[in-house]
Amino acid sequence: MKSTTPEPYPHPAGGWGSVKKVATALLHEHVPFEGSKLLIHLNKTDGVACVSCAWAKPANPHPFEFCESGAKATAWEVTGKRCDAGFFEQHTVGELLGWSDHQLEAVGRLTTPLRWDAASDRYVPVDWDSAFAEIGRELKALAPQSAVFYCSGRASLEASYMYQLLARLYGCNNLPDSSNMCHESTSVALPKTIGVPIGTVSLADFEQTDCILFFGQNVGTNSPRMLHQLQEARRRGIPIITFNPLRETGLLHFANPQSPAEMLTGAETAISTHYLQVRAGGDSAAMLGLCKALIAADDAAIALGAPRVLDADFIAEHTAGLESLVDRARGESWSEIERHSGLSRRDLEQVAAVYAGASKVIGVFGMGLTQHRLGVQNVEMLSNLLLLRGNIGKPGAGICPVRGHSNVQGQRTVGITEKPELAPLDQLAKQYGFEPPRGKGLNTVETCEGVLDGSVRAFVALGGNFVRAVPDTVRVEAAWSRLRLTVQVATKLNRSHLVHGAVSYILPCLGRLEVDQQAGGEQAVSVEDSTGHMHGSKGRAQPAGELLRSEHAIIAGLAKATLPVNPKIDWDAWVADYATIRDAIAETYPEIFHDFNARMWTPGGFRRPLPAAERQWKTPNGRANFIAPTVLDADPDQLLPRGDVLRLFTVRSDSQFNTTIYNENDTFRGVHGGRRVLLINAADISRLGMREGDLVDVSAVTGDGVARSVAGLRLVRYEVPAGCVAGYFPECNPLMALEHHALESMVPAAKSIAIRIRPAGGGVNWRTYG
Ligand SMILES: Nc1nc2c(c(=O)[nH]1)N[C@H]1C(S)=C(S)[C@@H](COP(=O)(O)OP(=O)(O)OC[C@H]3O[C@@H](n4cnc5c(=O)[nH]c(N)nc54)[C@H](O)[C@@H]3O)O[C@H]1N2
Ligand SMILES: Nc1nc2c(c(=O)[nH]1)N[C@H]1C(S)=C(S)[C@@H](COP(=O)(O)OP(=O)(O)OC[C@H]3O[C@@H](n4cnc5c(=O)[nH]c(N)nc54)[C@H](O)[C@@H]3O)O[C@H]1N2
Ligand SMILES: [Mo]
């Protein structure tokens, strides 16, 4: 029988456990020796940008500037395994639909272009030219508004730029991206509060900061190289205050696998000095509590004639809207703040005092803030908290959204967006002599709605696993197969390739880690990291197959087959030499990308201009804005945990990259033997009359009459706030209603889903719930 109690992970994040897992990953993927040598080039100035996370790449890298997650992602891409034509001869699509996410990708790298054959229900090899020709014919036959061009966040700046141009020349702004499911709440909130859509800190700020607030980001798994900055900060004795419903290993302690001394002595650094297990969806309440405590302390200081607690000079010179926040904080009772945050007034006041004692504070955050109905408000609240003490736009301080995919921030910078006002349409019109579409395009949720109502007819994806990543799996999958055309540019087989349209293609591409040989020689690409720095990247591994094409070449092939000839664009010349694409990018965005080719190998990257970091506020009123929160619970559309209603938040394990599942374990959380689990508080298990290890069926509590359920999850006792449970993404996505998304940003609210559980197979009629 499988163990049900999580085994405590005996090691700190990093450390020997990490080294062993790296070696195992390489062996398991049959990575040729040449491929494993690649690791030493990861994230180096003249090396290759890791395909895992987007964390900053330092100017003076460590000898091994990679982490366990990066090594796993590398092994997964340069694997010796192949998903070739022979594989598709043996398996029908119908059969493959029964395979797990892990099984599908574990077959190996795709090696040949494939077209779905209706008669045999198989993908069969096809040559590139006929693939492009048919896709071009299909796209030309459709109204441009009915085609969608999705972009996952891994493609380079050069490929992303070509892709947005393809969509706009075709005639639509339907450019949803993974950011729509991720940090879009950040991209909506920060322009209102501080006038930039991205974070303001750089690595140098971590060296100078004297306090770090850490909200809803699992650094040990999802951006482990950042542990170096956190460890250094702890060595200097600065407090790190963490808000997270789960006690995450990587946020508790870390041993540096790159430090021989630490590996020999087993020394480790405690990362968080304060760990507050906030209720899922309770961050706005917690932060309002911190603001309330700061305002009270400031009132007391004024009364005593002591130094102010709020940065009054900064507030007067730079900000607007303080009164509404102060009124809101004063007017809210501590009992409501405690009820919604799940935290005590005492703890919040103590943490507020630590915050007030620091003069340079960084606020870090991830999906724990953004993926809620009020995800935008959560980010605004963090901005409020920082602004109260002038913690934006000075060295050692700032706001730090930790981005997901390795170039997700960069693809936005070069025009991947469904919002026409964010794209330089006039410049594109001038540069390429066409009239770009001006209407709003579809984001991720709207794309799903369009597929459901039949108005979307074609879906082209530059990477990703869209149907698996979005909410409402069952409804969305059923609608997807009614599409006319699906085209997937991909490295590995996944479920989105199997839930396909009437005409369907899989186009296999090179990964960033591979040598990219074109007519003009070996090519390099570039990416933007989480701190707004651009880096060059040159692949070194042997391509996984001779037929593979670069994403740039595939986009060019699609463009030439679909669009009329444009004398101002020579797609082939761009593909022959990517430096010419960079020249075009520099012409479109001179402020950010001037002298792009000369600057792309700058150690540590070159930074895009960031007015907020200089205390210039590009907001409509020219000031940094406080924005008072509306309601305390970040998910007012979901029932609060009560009775048998629980609040589910979905997370990633340390053995996955989004829908890519490397294996079934979650070592850091001590969860072994499968991902079909619910992490649940001991008190909730007994309150509901269940036992640890029980199998349960889960149903979502929604009011729309649609039954949403996931069967057969195992209860694992875990230290999580009462009423809250954690489950894995993407297995739990069938429970998420498409309509349960953030207001304003439309990010699916994956961190708060009201559910009920029942003993498995109890013959429950799920349709009666809701
Ligand atoms: N190895 C690896 N690296 C990755 C990825 C991966 O899958 N694997 N994915 C990449 C991508 S695309 C992204 S977006 C990032 C995601 O990185 P994260 O932002 O870390 O995302 P999650 O794993 O979803 O976990 C979010 C954290 O928020 C906590 N949390 C959940 N609900 C709440 C809440 O209401 N409040 C607070 N304060 N905390 C909460 C969870 O316990 C968890 O620790 O990582 C990127 N890097
Ligand atoms: N419930 C729940 N749902 C979520 C989330 C959550 O926390 N909870 N997180 C959301 C977030 S933050 C994100 S970013 C999305 C992720 O959504 P996506 O970005 O769409 O999904 P991935 O799993 O990253 O995509 C994996 C696939 O990308 C392809 N791929 C890998 N490398 C390359 C490459 O170099 N080029 C190309 N062309 N293809 C490549 C492979 O075929 C692989 O199968 O999921 C979202 N969904
Ligand atoms: Mo993401």
Side-chain angles (χ1 to χ4, degrees):
M1 168 150 168
K2 285 169 183 168
S3 133
T4 52
T5 311
E7 295 162 23
Y9 186 63
H11 315 289
W16 284 116
S18 213
V19 173
K20 199 172 131 210
K21 283 194 276 172
V22 168
T24 313
L26 292 170
L27 274 177
H28 194 257
E29 284 305 308
H30 306 164
V31 172
F33 178 63
E34 287 301 309
S36 58
K37 281 201 307 196
L38 197 72
L39 291 176
I40 59 169
H41 298 291
L42 286 187
N43 304 315
K44 298 285 175 59
T45 298
D46 59 348
V48 49
C50 182
V51 293
S52 193
C53 79
W55 186 238
K57 294 139 186 67
N60 299 307
H62 297 80
F64 303 105
E65 188 60 39
F66 67 88
C67 66
E68 181 187 322
S69 299
K72 282 181 186 162
T74 302
W76 202 248
E77 180 167 312
V78 300
T79 177
K81 301 177 183 173
R82 297 290 176 267
C83 182
D84 53 17
F87 172 82
F88 290 99
E89 266 171 40
Q90 285 164 25
H91 305 284
T92 64
V93 168
E95 180 200 338
L96 292 171
L97 278 168
W99 289 30
S100 72
D101 297 310
H102 170 76
Q103 285 171 315
L104 291 173
E105 284 211 28
V107 179
R109 287 287 298 278
L110 293 158
T111 59
T112 179
L114 298 156
R115 180 187 194 282
W116 179 66
D117 172 54
S120 62
D121 187 31
R122 284 186 167 78
Y123 272 104
V124 294
V126 58
D127 64 82
W128 282 104
D129 285 343
S130 22
F132 290 143
E134 185 177 20
I135 296 167
R137 270 197 311 277
E138 287 286 332
L139 284 173
K140 279 190 276 193
L142 290 171
Q145 296 312 323
S146 63
V148 167
F149 296 82
Y150 172 66
C151 193
S152 170
R154 204 176 273 197
S156 66
L157 292 168
E158 294 81 353
S160 303
Y161 179 81
M162 290 172 76
Y163 196 62
Q164 60 84 31
L165 194 57
L166 162 66
R168 297 197 163 107
L169 287 162
Y170 173 68
C172 69
N173 284 309
N174 294 339
L175 285 157
D177 65 350
S178 61
S179 210
N180 289 154
M181 299 180 246
C182 188
H183 266 293
E184 188 73 47
S185 301
T186 306
S187 312
V188 169
L190 294 185
K192 291 196 279 175
T193 61
I194 59 170
V196 290
I198 62 169
T200 64
V201 301
S202 66
L203 286 179
D205 293 312
F206 280 87
E207 290 164 17
Q208 298 175 48
T209 186
D210 53 21
C211 176
I212 298 174
L213 303 174
F214 217 96
F215 286 87
Q217 203 272 338
N218 187 14
V219 59
T221 294
N222 295 335
S223 55
R225 287 183 302 108
M226 185 191 211
L227 285 168
H228 291 302
Q229 280 76 45
L230 301 184
Q231 190 185 33
E232 282 305 310
R234 287 296 304 127
R235 286 218 178 97
R236 292 192 290 111
I238 75 146
I240 298 182
I241 302 166
T242 295
F243 291 82
N244 197 310
L246 292 182
R247 287 179 69 76
E248 303 279 30
T249 302
L251 284 161
L252 293 167
H253 44 172
F254 171 60
N256 191 341
Q258 320 231 344
S259 155
E262 278 181 29
M263 294 296 276
L264 287 175
T265 60
E268 60 187 60
T269 314
I271 295 291
S272 302
T273 50
H274 304 69
Y275 209 108
L276 287 87
Q277 284 187 268
V278 64
R279 208 175 50 74
D283 300 271
S284 278
M287 287 187 270
L288 192 66
L290 296 179
C291 293
K292 186 175 172 75
L294 290 173
I295 291 161
D298 192 58
D299 290 342
I302 294 170
L304 289 171
R308 295 282 302 269
V309 174
L310 305 189
D311 187 340
D313 293 343
F314 170 81
I315 291 171
E317 188 183 341
H318 290 283
T319 70
L322 178 70
E323 291 70 29
S324 65
L325 178 69
V326 169
D327 290 349
R328 182 76 178 86
R330 288 210 174 105
E332 195 53 78
S333 70
W334 275 110
S335 62
E336 279 299 283
I337 289 171
E338 288 185 323
R339 185 166 80 90
H340 285 280
S341 66
L343 301 171
S344 71
R345 171 178 181 176
R346 211 184 52 134
D347 283 352
L348 289 170
E349 284 179 338
Q350 192 199 350
V351 162
V354 175
Y355 172 66
S359 59
K360 291 168 277 183
V361 181
I362 292 177
V364 179
F365 67 100
M367 298 299 99
L369 289 195
T370 61
Q371 292 178 332
H372 289 282
R373 182 77 172 160
L374 298 183
V376 174
Q377 171 179 296
N378 277 341
V379 179
E380 289 166 358
M381 277 307 295
L382 181 54
S383 178
N384 289 336
L385 186 58
L386 292 168
L387 289 172
L388 280 180
R389 288 189 40 81
N391 278 312
I392 294 193
K394 69 181 176 192
I399 194 157
C400 179
V402 184
R403 300 278 165 169
H405 274 291
S406 51
N407 193 36
V408 63
Q409 188 165 311
Q411 67 187 22
R412 273 294 165 84
T413 307
V414 295
I416 301 280
T417 172
E418 78 286 358
K419 296 175 181 162
E421 68 277 17
L422 299 184
L425 296 184
D426 292 338
Q427 172 59 29
L428 292 175
K430 198 170 89 192
Q431 204 169 331
Y432 300 109
F434 77 117
E435 188 38 52
R438 303 277 168 171
K440 194 197 154 305
L442 302 174
N443 61 26
T444 286
V445 166
E446 290 161 347
T447 295
C448 295
E449 289 167 351
V451 176
L452 282 163
D453 71 20
S455 57
V456 169
R457 302 298 302 136
F459 183 80
V460 182
L462 187 62
N465 186 359
F466 192 84
V467 295
R468 207 67 186 114
V470 299
D472 246 343
T473 316
V474 178
R475 265 174 86 208
V476 166
E477 281 196 0
W480 224 257
S481 44
R482 296 197 296 269
L483 282 170
R484 170 67 196 171
L485 173 71
T486 48
V487 179
Q488 301 279 348
V489 181
T491 51
K492 294 259 182 117
L493 183 65
N494 65 44
R495 196 168 171 90
S496 295
H497 308 165
L498 306 172
V499 184
H500 58 78
V503 176
S504 176
Y505 282 89
I506 303 175
L507 304 179
C509 65
L510 289 173
R512 192 192 300 146
L513 303 174
E514 289 167 315
V515 174
D516 184 352
Q517 185 72 46
Q518 301 293 347
E522 271 183 28
Q523 300 302 311
V525 297
S526 53
V527 297
E528 175 176 346
D529 70 28
S530 264
T531 62
H533 287 71
M534 316 291 165
H535 307 263
S537 173
K538 193 158 183 195
R540 289 169 193 256
Q542 277 315 302
E546 286 170 8
L547 291 177
L548 299 187
R549 291 202 180 170
S550 73
E551 293 177 319
H552 316 73
I554 296 172
I555 297 164
L558 293 172
K560 288 197 299 173
T562 310
L563 307 172
V565 171
N566 180 327
K568 297 200 168 190
I569 307 175
D570 185 341
W571 297 95
D572 291 331
W574 273 355
V575 175
D577 181 0
Y578 299 173
T580 60
I581 314 173
R582 288 185 285 275
D583 288 338
I585 295 175
E587 192 181 335
T588 309
Y589 301 92
E591 261 190 59
I592 304 175
F593 289 107
H594 64 88
D595 306 309
F596 194 177
N597 281 299
R599 294 194 297 157
M600 70 186 277
W601 301 108
T602 309
F606 69 86
R607 196 180 199 189
R608 59 190 264 187
L610 211 53
E614 318 292 328
R615 294 199 166 170
Q616 293 162 21
W617 317 105
K618 301 288 179 195
T619 51
N621 60 358
R623 302 182 81 79
N625 290 303
F626 290 100
I627 301 179
T630 50
V631 290
L632 289 187
D633 179 17
D635 300 274
D637 63 328
Q638 302 289 289
L639 294 181
L640 279 171
R642 228 179 73 193
D644 63 348
V645 174
L646 300 166
R647 185 168 273 204
L648 167 71
F649 57 97
T650 57
V651 292
R652 296 155 167 80
S653 78
D654 69 358
S655 301
Q656 80 183 86
F657 192 93
N658 299 339
T659 69
T660 295
I661 313 298
Y662 304 128
N663 66 54
E664 294 277 307
N665 297 326
D666 191 353
T667 323
F668 284 172
R669 298 200 184 102
V671 177
H672 296 276
R675 298 168 48 85
R676 299 190 66 83
V677 295
L678 279 185
L679 310 185
I680 180 168
N681 184 301
D684 284 326
I685 299 182
S686 49
R687 191 173 57 80
L688 295 169
M690 309 232 173
R691 277 176 320 207
E692 212 183 322
D694 278 358
L695 280 186
V696 297
D697 293 340
V698 182
S699 64
V701 186
T702 45
D704 62 0
V706 178
R708 295 182 180 85
S709 61
V710 168
L713 299 187
R714 190 163 47 91
L715 294 184
V716 171
R717 181 164 52 84
Y718 211 85
E719 240 190 279
V720 54
C724 295
V725 294
Y728 289 113
F729 146 57
E731 286 80 353
C732 289
N733 285 33
L735 295 166
M736 292 165 62
L738 188 59
E739 295 71 24
H740 176 47
H741 56 69
L743 296 170
E744 302 176 76
S745 70
M746 293 185 84
V747 170
K751 298 292 186 267
S752 249
I753 308 157
I755 59 160
R756 288 195 176 96
I757 60 177
R758 293 285 181 275
V764 181
N765 177 5
W766 298 113
R767 291 186 186 279
T768 60
Y769 290 109

